[in-house]
Amino acid sequence: MEKKLLSILGKLEKEFGGSASEYRGDVSLVIPAEKIVAACQQVHRLGFELLSALTAVDYWPKGASSPQGKNPRFHVIYQFTSVVLNLALTLRVPVPGINPSLTTISHLYRNANWRERELWDMFGIRFLGHPDLRRILMPADWEGHPLRKDYPLGYEEPQFTFNFDEINLRKPHAKE
Amino acid sequence: MPDIQEITLNDLKHLVSERAIQGETVLLNMGPQHPSTHGVLRLLLELDGEIVVNCIPDIGFLHTGIEKNMEAKTYAKAEVMSDRLDYMDTVGNNLAYSLAVEKLLDLDVPLRAQAIRVILAELQRFASHLVWLGTSALDLAAMSMFLYCFREREYILDVMEMCSGQRMMTTYIRPGGLWRDVPVEFEAAVRGILKTFPRRVDEYEALLTRNPLMLDRTYGIGKLTGEECLNFGVTGPMLRASGVEWDLRKDRPYSGYEQYDFMVPTRTEGDVYARYLVRLEEMRQSLKIVQQALDKLPIGPLRSNNRKYVPPPRSEIGVSMEALIHHFKLWTEGFEAPQGAIYSAVESPRGELGVYLESDGGPKPYRIHWRTPSFDNLQSLPLMSKGVLVADLVAIIGSVDIVLGDVDR
Amino acid sequence: MGVEQKLGNMGFATTTLEQAVAWSRTNAMWPMLFGLACCAIEMMSAQAAHYDMSRFGMELMRPSPRQTDLMIVAGRVSRKMAPVLRRLYDQMPEPKWVISMGDCASCGGVFNNYAIMQGVDEVVPVDVYVAGCPPRPEALIHGVLMLYEKVCGMKFAEIK
C-alpha cells in the first residue's frame, strides 16, 4: 500500500473507529452508519474529490458478517477517487434490513443525488435530507425494490415446441 | 396495460421555479421519442419563451435489469449481457468485465492478448467517436457528416467481424485472454485503416473546426469548470475539456497501456467547442496507439494457462483428456471464485467505466454493479442548461455524448 | 387486341386498383425514428451510405408519428416505455405497419427479467419480425422487402 494512503487510512481509522482491510490492492474501511457524513467530509478535505461509485449489496437471508459482530442486511459502498493524489478508497457502511436509512451526502458530492435515488429505487434504503427522493429507473407506481435478493427475477418460460400452445394462450397479444 | 404516468405540477413543485406555478413559464415535454435526445431520454423543460429556465431529466425508459440478470448467470455466461450496456463501446464493456474478473481471480493475461485488446479497444473508441461526431453534427444540421462518419465506421466493423464473427456485440475479449487468434487478414485490414483514416479526420476538421456556423452554435455554450465537473462525478472528455487532466489509461494504466506513447488532449474552456476539439484529437491519438501496438505485436499464447478458471482453446480439446474435462466443467458448472470484493475501472469513450464485483465463493457473481459514465455525466445537464436557448440545449446534449443503455443499465 | 394496344400511344396505362395502391404505398414508405437501443445503431447504418435504404423508398425517417406509415421498433422495450410505444402507435394514421427489429423487440432477447417486455407484440400488432442481435443491415433490408411483398399481396377487401 502506498505511504500516502496508509497515512490517510490511519487518520480515518483513528477518528471514526472503523476497521480497514485490503484485497487485491483495493483498500476498504468499514464505518458505522451514524458517522458516514462526517467521514465523507473528512475524505473530501483529504483530497478525494471524485465520488466514483455509490452502490449497495444485499446479504439476505443470512446477513453480512460485520466486524462489529452484528448481522446487517445491507452494506452500502462508497468508492472515492482522488485525482490530485491518484488514489482510490472504499468506505463500507453496514445498514440494517428493517427500515434501512442513511443520511444523504448530496450536498457534498452532487452526483450522489441520482445515485441515492437509485439506491432507494432498487434497494429501499431511505436517505434522510435528500432533496428529491423518488424512483428513478422504475416507473413511479412500481411496487417493490428489484435488486433485493428476495425479489424474483421475473423469468418467463421460453416457448419450445412441446409447450408452445399453452404459453401462447397465457401470453398477452395485441390484436390491433 | 398501464397508461402513461401523468405527472401533475404538484409532484414537481420542489423542482421548478415559482414562475411555473404562477403560469408565467411553460412546461414542455421533450419526450422519450425525439430525434435529438440520442435515445429514450425525457426532458421536462421549463421555458420562458425560448430560454430554458430549468431542465429536469427523467430517465429509466431503457432500464434492462442487467445487474440482477448477471447475478443469475455464471461468470462466463454473464459476459454476454455486458456488451449491451454501452452499445457504442461494446469492446470496452467486455474489457472492463474481463479485467474485473481477472482482478478477482488474480489471473495473468499473456502479452499478445493484452496488445490485441488494446488495438480493438482503441478502434472501438474511434468508432464510438465517429458516431458521436455524426449524430451531434446531424443535430446541428451538418447532415453530410452523418454519412461520412458511418462510411468510416463500416471499415472498423469489418475488422470486428473478421475477428469474432459479429459486427457489434463481439464478446471477443474474455476473462483470461481472448476467444481465439486474430485471422491472417487482420493485420492488412488494420494497416489499411491506419493509412486512410488520418486523412479523413483532417477532412472532418476542415469541414467543421473553423466553420463560422459551428463556432456560432458551439463556442461559449454549456460551460462547466473543472471543479464543478469533479463535484458532479463527470469523467472522460468532458472533464478533460474543462482543464483537469485525468485519463485512466495514463494515470491508472491497465492491459499494457504504459508501454505506448500517446498524448491526453486537454483544454481549459469547458464549453461544447472544447469538447469537440478534445474528442477529435482523441481520435488521432487512438490511431497512434493502434499503430504502436500493431508494430510491437508479440507472438505467444492467447489465453492464460490457469485451467481452474480459463477454458482451454478448442485445438487442445481434441488431443488432451484433461482439456476436455476442464472445458466441460467450466462451461456447465463454472468455477468457484474466491470470496472478496473488488472495484476495477477502464477508460471508455465517455469516461470512467467501473465494475464493482463481489463474490461469495460461488460460481455466479453475488453482486455486480456497473459504474457507468453517462449516468453521472447526465447529472450535470441541468446546471449547464440554465439560461440557454432550446437550440443550444440540443448542442449541449450532443456534446455530453450520452448513451442511454449506459444511463439506465 | 386489348385496350392497352389501342390506348398505348395516347399516354394511358391500365392496371388493377390493388397494384396501383400497392405501388404507391411501397415506393415511398417513411419509417418513424423509433430507435431505442443497440438495434438503432444498425438501423442508422442501414440508412447511411453503405447499405442504403433510400433506394427502397425510405428516403427519410420522420420523428413525428403523424407523417409516417411504418414503425421499426429497434431495441428493447422496457415496462416504463410500453405505454409510450402504444400511444405513438395510436397516433400514426392508417394504413400502418410495424417491423419488430432484433431479438429484444421480437421475444425479449437475452433479457428474461422483470424490466423488459417479452416481445413488443404484447403491445402493438407486428407484421414482420427480424431476428438478430443486432440484425445486420442486410437482414433489416430483407425484412423491409418482405413487408413490401406483404403489402403488395393485400387484397382490395382488406385495404381500408
Side-chain angles (χ1 to χ4, degrees):
Chain A
M1 247 200 280
E2 289 200 21
K3 254 181 34 192
K4 270 184 283 196
L5 194 54
L6 266 175
S7 73
I8 291 177
L9 211 58
K11 249 188 277 191
L12 288 171
E13 247 180 312
K14 227 177 0 182
E15 227 179 297
F16 300 105
S19 71
S21 62
E22 187 194 341
Y23 183 73
R24 306 262 195 257
D26 280 353
V27 174
S28 78
L29 186 62
V30 180
I31 300 238
E34 320 76 58
K35 308 209 180 123
I36 186 62
V37 185
C40 288
Q41 272 166 343
Q42 180 71 323
V43 161
H44 190 82
R45 237 174 281 137
L46 287 169
F48 288 83
E49 352 53 359
L50 185 62
L51 175 67
S52 281
L54 174 54
T55 178
V57 190
D58 182 10
Y59 293 102
W60 184 82
K62 287 187 289 224
S65 48
S66 175
Q68 282 89 352
K70 299 186 281 247
N71 263 0
R73 178 172 175 181
F74 296 112
H75 264 193
V76 179
I77 288 129
Y78 294 77
Q79 176 81 27
F80 295 101
T81 311
S82 168
V83 170
V84 173
L85 307 167
N86 200 348
L87 295 171
L89 175 68
T90 315
L91 295 182
R92 292 179 86 103
V93 181
V95 177
I98 321 266
N99 285 338
S101 68
L102 275 179
T103 323
T104 181
I105 60 167
S106 52
H107 50 280
L108 279 175
Y109 293 97
R110 311 257 285 264
N111 60 335
N113 192 325
W114 278 19
R115 295 220 170 256
E116 289 171 354
R117 273 179 73 184
E118 187 196 340
L119 283 187
W120 159 242
D121 192 3
M122 293 282 125
F123 287 95
I125 301 178
R126 216 166 248 292
F127 282 87
L128 311 165
H130 194 276
D132 181 26
L133 198 68
R134 44 192 176 106
R135 284 192 182 267
I136 187 169
L137 292 175
M138 305 306 296
D141 55 352
W142 195 263
E143 279 176 22
H145 298 282
L147 272 176
R148 292 188 171 188
K149 290 280 177 185
D150 49 351
Y151 190 91
L153 183 58
Y155 183 79
E156 188 200 65
E157 228 181 300
Q159 284 176 303
F160 295 105
T161 42
F162 57 87
N163 60 359
F164 191 82
D165 294 317
E166 66 177 79
I167 293 187
N168 234 1
L169 290 171
R170 277 192 272 150
K171 222 167 123 76
H173 279 284
K175 286 297 180 287
E176 47 72 50
Chain B
M1 204 193 54
D3 202 5
I4 296 186
Q5 200 77 53
E6 307 282 352
I7 301 186
T8 64
L9 201 50
N10 262 330
D11 304 330
L12 300 174
K13 251 197 311 229
H14 53 288
L15 292 170
V16 298
S17 65
E18 305 88 47
R19 293 166 72 192
I21 303 180
Q22 286 163 11
E24 219 181 287
T25 52
V26 171
L27 274 179
L28 187 70
N29 181 35
M30 198 161 157
Q33 194 257 356
H34 193 275
S36 304
T37 52
H38 298 285
V40 275
L41 170 67
R42 180 174 178 217
L43 291 174
L44 280 161
L45 301 175
E46 190 192 332
L47 295 175
D48 179 15
E50 185 83 8
I51 302 182
V52 175
V53 173
N54 233 330
C55 159
I56 303 162
D58 186 14
I59 61 176
F61 288 95
L62 202 59
H63 177 63
T64 323
I66 288 186
E67 295 181 359
K68 194 167 175 91
N69 216 338
M70 279 175 119
E71 289 166 20
K73 296 184 188 255
T74 60
Y75 284 96
K77 297 184 183 174
E79 189 183 354
V80 169
M81 316 196 92
S82 70
D83 290 278
R84 282 129 181 110
L85 275 169
D86 175 358
Y87 40 84
M88 293 320 311
D89 179 40
T90 57
V91 170
N93 292 354
N94 287 338
L95 183 60
Y97 182 79
S98 302
L99 286 175
V101 174
E102 283 154 17
K103 187 170 175 181
L104 182 71
L105 304 174
D106 208 13
L107 276 180
D108 275 320
V109 180
L111 293 170
R112 185 177 167 89
Q114 283 186 9
I116 297 180
R117 280 179 177 185
V118 165
I119 294 177
L120 289 177
E122 291 303 315
L123 282 178
Q124 186 70 280
R125 186 185 309 268
F126 194 94
S128 166
H129 282 329
L130 277 176
V131 175
W132 159 77
L133 187 58
T135 49
S136 59
L138 188 66
D139 283 343
L140 300 175
M143 293 195 191
S144 45
M145 283 306 297
F146 174 75
L147 295 172
Y148 292 153
C149 291
F150 273 76
R151 172 193 65 182
E152 255 59 280
R153 208 176 120 83
E154 291 297 325
Y155 292 105
I156 299 183
L157 291 178
D158 275 343
V159 170
M160 299 289 172
E161 192 178 356
M162 193 187 288
C163 289
S164 68
Q166 247 273 28
R167 278 154 63 101
M168 276 168 69
M169 315 296 176
T170 57
T171 324
Y172 184 65
I173 295 181
R174 301 191 180 181
L178 301 173
W179 172 44
R180 63 169 191 185
D181 203 350
V182 288
V184 192
E185 307 92 15
F186 177 75
E187 180 163 346
V190 179
R191 289 216 190 271
I193 288 181
L194 288 173
K195 213 164 83 148
T196 56
F197 276 29
R199 240 179 303 137
R200 300 275 165 85
V201 179
D202 290 335
E203 259 178 43
Y204 305 151
E205 235 186 323
L207 276 174
L208 287 176
T209 307
R210 293 279 207 25
N211 195 333
L213 292 169
M214 176 84 174
L215 284 169
D216 263 341
R217 285 207 67 173
T218 58
Y219 194 74
I221 308 283
K223 277 196 201 255
L224 267 186
T225 65
E227 235 182 75
E228 282 171 347
C229 276
L230 284 173
N231 206 250
F232 269 107
V234 169
T235 50
M238 280 181 80
L239 182 64
R240 294 195 277 279
S242 297
V244 180
E245 189 170 336
W246 177 246
D247 186 336
L248 287 173
R249 296 174 291 167
K250 273 260 194 251
D251 296 308
R252 306 180 80 90
Y254 51 91
S255 188
Y257 266 104
E258 53 275 359
Q259 23 169 325
Y260 305 119
D261 166 44
F262 61 100
M263 189 189 79
V264 171
T266 322
R267 297 192 75 86
T268 49
E269 299 98 29
D271 58 1
V272 174
Y273 191 63
R275 289 172 207 147
Y276 158 78
L277 289 174
V278 163
R279 288 197 179 105
L280 211 57
E281 186 58 37
E282 271 187 17
M283 284 160 80
R284 290 214 174 88
Q285 297 297 317
S286 288
L287 292 177
K288 198 165 153 197
I289 299 177
V290 173
Q291 174 88 47
Q292 291 172 49
L294 197 60
D295 288 336
K296 292 193 215 165
L297 196 62
I299 308 207
L302 281 146
R303 285 195 201 191
S304 155
N305 272 333
N306 191 338
R307 291 287 161 253
K308 230 173 72 160
Y309 300 127
V310 180
R314 300 286 291 190
S315 49
E316 264 182 41
I317 294 181
V319 289
S320 152
M321 188 61 185
E322 289 89 31
L324 186 62
I325 299 176
H326 280 130
H327 171 94
F328 182 74
K329 173 173 188 292
L330 286 170
W331 278 108
T332 52
E333 215 180 80
F335 50 77
E336 310 270 310
Q339 207 168 4
I342 54 111
Y343 177 80
S344 132
V346 306
E347 178 84 15
S348 94
R350 275 152 203 93
E352 175 183 338
L353 176 64
V355 180
Y356 172 79
L357 184 56
E358 175 156 344
S359 152
D360 65 338
K364 307 185 177 172
Y366 188 75
R367 171 81 178 118
I368 180 164
H369 171 76
W370 290 83
R371 188 270 181 204
T372 47
S374 305
F375 191 75
D376 289 309
N377 289 2
L378 194 57
Q379 287 196 53
S380 61
L381 187 67
L383 181 67
M384 278 198 283
S385 59
K386 280 212 181 332
V388 298
L389 300 172
V390 176
D392 295 332
L393 181 67
V394 167
I396 294 175
I397 297 175
S399 81
V400 175
D401 195 11
I402 46 170
V403 169
L404 265 296
D406 230 9
V407 173
D408 292 337
R409 266 163 281 130
Chain C
M1 305 244 263
V3 184
E4 290 94 8
Q5 294 202 303
K6 296 252 167 75
L7 295 175
N9 286 342
M10 293 161 56
F12 282 91
T14 57
T15 177
T16 67
L17 181 62
E18 286 156 6
Q19 275 184 2
V21 168
W23 171 84
S24 65
R25 277 177 180 172
T26 57
N27 274 22
M29 194 182 271
W30 287 357
M32 182 162 80
L33 252 178
F34 207 73
L36 298 166
C38 350
C39 284
I41 312 294
E42 289 292 49
M43 187 166 71
M44 290 200 282
S45 286
Q47 189 76 28
H50 207 235
Y51 305 98
D52 195 6
M53 273 219 298
S54 42
R55 44 192 170 136
F56 300 109
M58 309 202 164
E59 176 66 32
L60 1 107
M61 299 194 139
R62 287 287 190 201
S64 161
R66 308 269 186 207
Q67 299 169 8
T68 59
D69 31 21
L70 171 66
M71 182 158 83
I72 305 184
V73 183
R76 44 196 191 245
V77 181
S78 73
R79 304 248 169 229
K80 197 168 175 182
M81 189 68 189
V84 178
L85 174 65
R86 181 71 214 188
R87 187 180 269 199
L88 285 167
Y89 178 75
D90 289 334
Q91 286 177 345
M92 281 167 70
E94 291 273 353
K96 51 192 174 189
W97 295 279
V98 175
I99 291 185
S100 149
M101 174 183 179
D103 284 342
C104 292
S106 309
C107 64
V110 206
F111 306 110
N112 198 344
N113 56 23
Y114 62 90
I116 292 288
M117 186 138 277
Q118 303 294 313
V120 85
D121 52 5
E122 289 183 18
V123 176
V124 293
V126 175
D127 292 300
V128 174
Y129 300 86
V130 182
C133 193
R136 283 191 67 114
E138 293 126 326
L140 178 62
I141 293 177
H142 180 76
V144 164
L145 290 177
M146 202 180 275
L147 180 69
Y148 284 175
E149 276 171 30
K150 180 174 180 179
V151 170
C152 290
M154 278 172 81
K155 294 282 168 236
F156 186 54
E158 291 168 20
I159 296 176
K160 293 185 267 285

Short mmCIF file of all heavy atoms in Angstrom, two decimals, chain A residues 55-85:
data_model
loop_
_atom_site.label_atom_id
_atom_site.label_comp_id
_atom_site.label_asym_id
_atom_site.label_seq_id
_atom_site.Cartn_x
_atom_site.Cartn_y
_atom_site.Cartn_z
N THR A 55 -23.01 2.29 -4.25
CA THR A 55 -23.87 1.17 -4.53
C THR A 55 -24.10 0.40 -3.23
O THR A 55 -23.62 0.79 -2.18
CB THR A 55 -23.23 0.27 -5.60
OG1 THR A 55 -24.07 -0.84 -5.82
CG2 THR A 55 -21.90 -0.24 -5.14
N ALA A 56 -24.85 -0.68 -3.31
CA ALA A 56 -25.19 -1.43 -2.10
C ALA A 56 -25.20 -2.92 -2.43
O ALA A 56 -25.36 -3.31 -3.59
CB ALA A 56 -26.55 -1.01 -1.56
N VAL A 57 -25.00 -3.73 -1.41
CA VAL A 57 -25.05 -5.18 -1.57
C VAL A 57 -26.08 -5.70 -0.58
O VAL A 57 -26.14 -5.24 0.55
CB VAL A 57 -23.68 -5.83 -1.25
CG1 VAL A 57 -23.68 -7.27 -1.65
CG2 VAL A 57 -22.57 -5.09 -1.93
N ASP A 58 -26.87 -6.67 -1.00
CA ASP A 58 -27.91 -7.22 -0.15
C ASP A 58 -27.50 -8.62 0.29
O ASP A 58 -27.26 -9.48 -0.54
CB ASP A 58 -29.21 -7.28 -0.95
CG ASP A 58 -30.36 -7.80 -0.12
OD1 ASP A 58 -30.21 -7.94 1.10
OD2 ASP A 58 -31.43 -8.06 -0.70
N TYR A 59 -27.37 -8.84 1.59
CA TYR A 59 -26.93 -10.13 2.09
C TYR A 59 -28.08 -10.89 2.70
O TYR A 59 -27.98 -11.45 3.77
CB TYR A 59 -25.85 -9.96 3.15
CG TYR A 59 -24.56 -9.41 2.63
CD1 TYR A 59 -24.24 -8.07 2.82
CD2 TYR A 59 -23.67 -10.20 1.95
CE1 TYR A 59 -23.06 -7.56 2.35
CE2 TYR A 59 -22.49 -9.70 1.47
CZ TYR A 59 -22.20 -8.38 1.67
OH TYR A 59 -21.03 -7.88 1.21
N TRP A 60 -29.21 -10.91 2.02
CA TRP A 60 -30.35 -11.68 2.54
C TRP A 60 -30.14 -13.13 2.20
O TRP A 60 -29.70 -13.43 1.10
CB TRP A 60 -31.62 -11.13 1.90
CG TRP A 60 -32.87 -11.73 2.37
CD1 TRP A 60 -33.56 -11.42 3.49
CD2 TRP A 60 -33.61 -12.77 1.72
NE1 TRP A 60 -34.69 -12.18 3.58
CE2 TRP A 60 -34.75 -13.02 2.50
CE3 TRP A 60 -33.43 -13.50 0.56
CZ2 TRP A 60 -35.68 -13.98 2.18
CZ3 TRP A 60 -34.36 -14.45 0.23
CH2 TRP A 60 -35.48 -14.68 1.04
N PRO A 61 -30.51 -14.14 2.93
CA PRO A 61 -31.15 -14.04 4.23
C PRO A 61 -30.21 -14.09 5.42
O PRO A 61 -30.62 -13.83 6.53
CB PRO A 61 -32.03 -15.29 4.25
CG PRO A 61 -31.28 -16.27 3.42
CD PRO A 61 -30.50 -15.52 2.41
N LYS A 62 -28.95 -14.39 5.13
CA LYS A 62 -28.12 -14.64 6.32
C LYS A 62 -27.55 -13.37 6.90
O LYS A 62 -27.10 -13.38 8.03
CB LYS A 62 -26.97 -15.58 5.93
CG LYS A 62 -27.45 -17.01 5.70
CD LYS A 62 -26.29 -17.91 5.50
CE LYS A 62 -25.72 -17.57 4.15
NZ LYS A 62 -25.35 -18.64 3.29
N GLY A 63 -27.51 -12.29 6.16
CA GLY A 63 -26.89 -11.06 6.66
C GLY A 63 -25.39 -11.13 6.49
O GLY A 63 -24.81 -12.19 6.32
N ALA A 64 -24.75 -9.97 6.50
CA ALA A 64 -23.29 -9.93 6.35
C ALA A 64 -22.63 -10.14 7.69
O ALA A 64 -23.24 -9.92 8.72
CB ALA A 64 -22.89 -8.58 5.79
N SER A 65 -21.38 -10.56 7.66
CA SER A 65 -20.66 -10.66 8.92
C SER A 65 -19.87 -9.39 9.07
O SER A 65 -18.88 -9.17 8.40
CB SER A 65 -19.75 -11.88 8.91
OG SER A 65 -19.03 -11.88 7.72
N SER A 66 -20.37 -8.50 9.91
CA SER A 66 -19.72 -7.22 10.09
C SER A 66 -18.70 -7.34 11.21
O SER A 66 -18.89 -8.12 12.13
CB SER A 66 -20.81 -6.21 10.45
OG SER A 66 -20.27 -4.98 10.75
N PRO A 67 -17.60 -6.59 11.17
CA PRO A 67 -16.59 -6.73 12.23
C PRO A 67 -17.12 -6.40 13.61
O PRO A 67 -16.58 -6.85 14.59
CB PRO A 67 -15.50 -5.73 11.83
CG PRO A 67 -15.71 -5.52 10.40
CD PRO A 67 -17.14 -5.72 10.10
N GLN A 68 -18.19 -5.57 13.67
CA GLN A 68 -18.73 -5.26 14.99
C GLN A 68 -19.49 -6.43 15.59
O GLN A 68 -20.02 -6.32 16.68
CB GLN A 68 -19.68 -4.05 14.93
CG GLN A 68 -18.98 -2.73 14.83
CD GLN A 68 -18.72 -2.35 13.39
OE1 GLN A 68 -18.93 -3.14 12.50
NE2 GLN A 68 -18.26 -1.13 13.19
N GLY A 69 -19.61 -7.52 14.85
CA GLY A 69 -20.27 -8.69 15.42
C GLY A 69 -21.75 -8.75 15.14
O GLY A 69 -22.43 -9.69 15.54
N LYS A 70 -22.30 -7.73 14.40
CA LYS A 70 -23.74 -7.77 14.14
C LYS A 70 -23.97 -8.37 12.76
O LYS A 70 -23.04 -8.67 12.02
CB LYS A 70 -24.29 -6.34 14.20
CG LYS A 70 -24.09 -5.70 15.55
CD LYS A 70 -24.78 -4.37 15.60
CE LYS A 70 -23.92 -3.36 14.87
NZ LYS A 70 -23.37 -2.35 15.75
N ASN A 71 -25.21 -8.54 12.36
CA ASN A 71 -25.52 -9.11 11.05
C ASN A 71 -26.40 -8.19 10.23
O ASN A 71 -27.59 -8.44 10.10
CB ASN A 71 -26.24 -10.46 11.23
CG ASN A 71 -25.27 -11.59 11.12
OD1 ASN A 71 -24.09 -11.39 10.92
ND2 ASN A 71 -25.78 -12.78 11.26
N PRO A 72 -25.86 -7.11 9.68
CA PRO A 72 -26.74 -6.21 8.93
C PRO A 72 -27.09 -6.81 7.58
O PRO A 72 -26.36 -7.64 7.05
CB PRO A 72 -25.87 -4.97 8.75
CG PRO A 72 -24.50 -5.48 8.76
CD PRO A 72 -24.47 -6.68 9.64
N ARG A 73 -28.21 -6.39 7.02
CA ARG A 73 -28.63 -6.96 5.75
C ARG A 73 -27.93 -6.30 4.57
O ARG A 73 -27.59 -6.96 3.61
CB ARG A 73 -30.13 -6.79 5.62
CG ARG A 73 -30.60 -7.31 4.31
CD ARG A 73 -32.07 -7.33 4.23
NE ARG A 73 -32.43 -7.75 2.89
CZ ARG A 73 -33.67 -7.86 2.46
NH1 ARG A 73 -34.67 -7.56 3.28
NH2 ARG A 73 -33.93 -8.24 1.25
N PHE A 74 -27.75 -4.96 4.65
CA PHE A 74 -27.17 -4.24 3.51
C PHE A 74 -25.79 -3.72 3.88
O PHE A 74 -25.52 -3.35 5.02
CB PHE A 74 -28.03 -3.03 3.14
CG PHE A 74 -29.39 -3.36 2.66
CD1 PHE A 74 -30.49 -3.02 3.42
CD2 PHE A 74 -29.60 -3.98 1.46
CE1 PHE A 74 -31.77 -3.32 3.00
CE2 PHE A 74 -30.87 -4.27 1.02
CZ PHE A 74 -31.95 -3.95 1.80
N HIS A 75 -24.94 -3.64 2.88
CA HIS A 75 -23.69 -2.90 3.01
C HIS A 75 -23.72 -1.85 1.91
O HIS A 75 -23.83 -2.21 0.74
CB HIS A 75 -22.48 -3.81 2.75
CG HIS A 75 -21.88 -4.37 3.97
ND1 HIS A 75 -20.66 -4.98 4.00
CD2 HIS A 75 -22.31 -4.39 5.25
CE1 HIS A 75 -20.37 -5.37 5.22
NE2 HIS A 75 -21.36 -5.02 6.00
N VAL A 76 -23.63 -0.58 2.25
CA VAL A 76 -23.59 0.48 1.24
C VAL A 76 -22.14 0.83 1.00
O VAL A 76 -21.37 1.00 1.94
CB VAL A 76 -24.38 1.71 1.70
CG1 VAL A 76 -24.32 2.79 0.66
CG2 VAL A 76 -25.82 1.34 1.96
N ILE A 77 -21.76 0.90 -0.27
CA ILE A 77 -20.35 1.06 -0.61
C ILE A 77 -20.14 2.40 -1.28
O ILE A 77 -20.79 2.73 -2.26
CB ILE A 77 -19.92 -0.07 -1.55
CG1 ILE A 77 -19.84 -1.35 -0.75
CG2 ILE A 77 -18.56 0.19 -2.14
CD1 ILE A 77 -20.57 -2.44 -1.33
N TYR A 78 -19.22 3.20 -0.73
CA TYR A 78 -18.85 4.48 -1.31
C TYR A 78 -17.44 4.34 -1.87
O TYR A 78 -16.53 4.02 -1.13
CB TYR A 78 -18.82 5.57 -0.22
CG TYR A 78 -20.14 5.90 0.41
CD1 TYR A 78 -20.71 5.07 1.37
CD2 TYR A 78 -20.82 7.07 0.08
CE1 TYR A 78 -21.91 5.38 1.95
CE2 TYR A 78 -22.02 7.39 0.67
CZ TYR A 78 -22.55 6.54 1.61
OH TYR A 78 -23.75 6.85 2.20
N GLN A 79 -17.28 4.60 -3.17
CA GLN A 79 -15.97 4.47 -3.77
C GLN A 79 -15.47 5.86 -4.14
O GLN A 79 -16.08 6.56 -4.92
CB GLN A 79 -16.07 3.61 -5.04
CG GLN A 79 -14.82 3.47 -5.84
CD GLN A 79 -13.91 2.42 -5.26
OE1 GLN A 79 -14.37 1.51 -4.61
NE2 GLN A 79 -12.62 2.57 -5.48
N PHE A 80 -14.34 6.26 -3.54
CA PHE A 80 -13.79 7.59 -3.79
C PHE A 80 -12.52 7.49 -4.60
O PHE A 80 -11.74 6.55 -4.45
CB PHE A 80 -13.46 8.29 -2.47
CG PHE A 80 -14.66 8.60 -1.64
CD1 PHE A 80 -14.98 7.80 -0.56
CD2 PHE A 80 -15.47 9.67 -1.93
CE1 PHE A 80 -16.10 8.07 0.21
CE2 PHE A 80 -16.58 9.95 -1.17
CZ PHE A 80 -16.90 9.14 -0.10
N THR A 81 -12.30 8.47 -5.47
CA THR A 81 -11.05 8.55 -6.23
C THR A 81 -10.47 9.93 -6.03
O THR A 81 -11.21 10.92 -6.01
CB THR A 81 -11.31 8.35 -7.73
OG1 THR A 81 -12.11 7.21 -7.91
CG2 THR A 81 -10.03 8.17 -8.48
N SER A 82 -9.15 9.98 -5.88
CA SER A 82 -8.52 11.28 -5.76
C SER A 82 -7.74 11.55 -7.03
O SER A 82 -6.85 10.79 -7.39
CB SER A 82 -7.58 11.28 -4.55
OG SER A 82 -6.77 12.42 -4.60
N VAL A 83 -8.09 12.63 -7.72
CA VAL A 83 -7.40 12.98 -8.96
C VAL A 83 -6.04 13.57 -8.63
O VAL A 83 -5.04 13.31 -9.30
CB VAL A 83 -8.28 13.97 -9.76
CG1 VAL A 83 -7.51 14.55 -10.91
CG2 VAL A 83 -9.50 13.27 -10.28
N VAL A 84 -5.99 14.35 -7.53
CA VAL A 84 -4.76 15.05 -7.16
C VAL A 84 -3.69 14.06 -6.70
O VAL A 84 -2.53 14.14 -7.08
CB VAL A 84 -5.08 16.07 -6.05
CG1 VAL A 84 -3.84 16.70 -5.53
CG2 VAL A 84 -6.03 17.11 -6.58
N LEU A 85 -4.10 13.09 -5.87
CA LEU A 85 -3.12 12.17 -5.29
C LEU A 85 -3.05 10.84 -6.03
O LEU A 85 -2.23 10.01 -5.71
CB LEU A 85 -3.49 11.87 -3.83
CG LEU A 85 -3.70 13.06 -2.92
CD1 LEU A 85 -4.36 12.59 -1.63
CD2 LEU A 85 -2.38 13.70 -2.59
#
